[in-house]
Amino acid sequence: MAPRETPRSSRMLPLLLAVVIGVAAGIGGYTFQYARGLSYFSTDPAACVNCHIMRPQYDAWQKASHHQVAVCVDCHLPHAFVRKYLAKMENGWRHGEKFTTQRFVEPIVVQANGRAILQENCLRCHGDLVHRIAGASSLPGDVPCTHCHAGVGHGEKTGIGGPLTPADLAAAS
């Protein structure tokens, strides 16, 4: 009895699958390299400038009062390992999507989750100083530190942490 011959389409399927996986890995690797993907694992503020729309915030931070004591991740990311990398992933995905599709607003505005992280980090560093001030907590509904100290991290003109509207406050809670 002669062995059954495998149809040509069945023999081509593994080759086609290997080509698709190879092309996807190549494009992914090139994109990761082009976007300086490894830099996002660091705490170097220059990594934030990989994204062109962050240049005004980076330049303003260099002139702002926190420049000598805090880098971007000190204020904008949680400090617990898992939460930090979850926030990095979420921010990276959102920033990449907004920048790629050109659906961002300028000046860029910190999102509700980012405002909560900012508040946590304000209190982490300055909690001993402000613990008796009403609203000096990270509880929803409290007035955030950036309401009065909008220019601390980036100056007044970049829009980060600028005076919040009632709608901003409602969104933050």
Side-chain angles (χ1 to χ4, degrees):
M1 178 178 219
R4 289 181 60 182
E5 190 170 307
T6 305
R8 184 179 177 153
S9 61
S10 295
R11 288 181 294 183
M12 294 297 289
L13 188 60
L15 178 62
L16 182 63
L17 188 60
V19 168
V20 168
I21 290 172
V23 168
I27 290 172
Y30 175 78
T31 302
F32 189 78
Q33 176 67 24
Y34 181 76
R36 301 179 197 134
L38 287 178
S39 70
Y40 294 105
F41 292 99
S42 76
T43 59
D44 183 357
C48 296
V49 190
N50 288 348
C51 179
H52 305 295
I53 63 172
M54 291 288 194
R55 173 56 69 180
Q57 288 73 27
Y58 178 77
D59 291 345
W61 164 77
Q62 290 185 312
K63 299 171 191 163
S65 61
H66 279 73
H67 177 251
Q68 298 298 323
V69 294
V71 295
C72 308
V73 298
D74 291 325
C75 298
H76 291 281
L77 289 176
H79 288 243
F81 183 82
V82 173
R83 284 188 63 216
K84 176 181 177 178
Y85 282 95
L86 287 175
K88 274 188 171 229
M89 286 189 319
E90 191 269 334
N91 288 342
W93 176 260
R94 186 170 28 79
H95 293 174
E97 184 268 332
K98 298 281 187 193
F99 186 70
T100 302
T101 61
Q102 298 291 300
R103 293 185 320 122
F104 57 90
V105 295
E106 289 190 87
I108 59 173
V109 178
V110 68
Q111 302 293 302
N113 188 36
R115 282 195 295 270
I117 292 168
L118 271 174
Q119 183 67 11
E120 271 180 42
N121 288 327
C122 288
L123 296 175
R124 184 178 53 79
C125 289
H126 303 288
D128 290 343
L129 181 68
V130 298
H131 73 281
R132 290 188 178 184
I133 299 173
S137 76
S138 56
L139 295 175
D142 284 351
V143 175
C145 299
T146 55
H147 181 76
C148 298
H149 302 280
V152 167
H154 299 282
E156 298 295 336
K157 294 184 178 180
T158 57
I160 296 294
L164 299 176
T165 65
D168 292 332
L169 289 172
S173 60

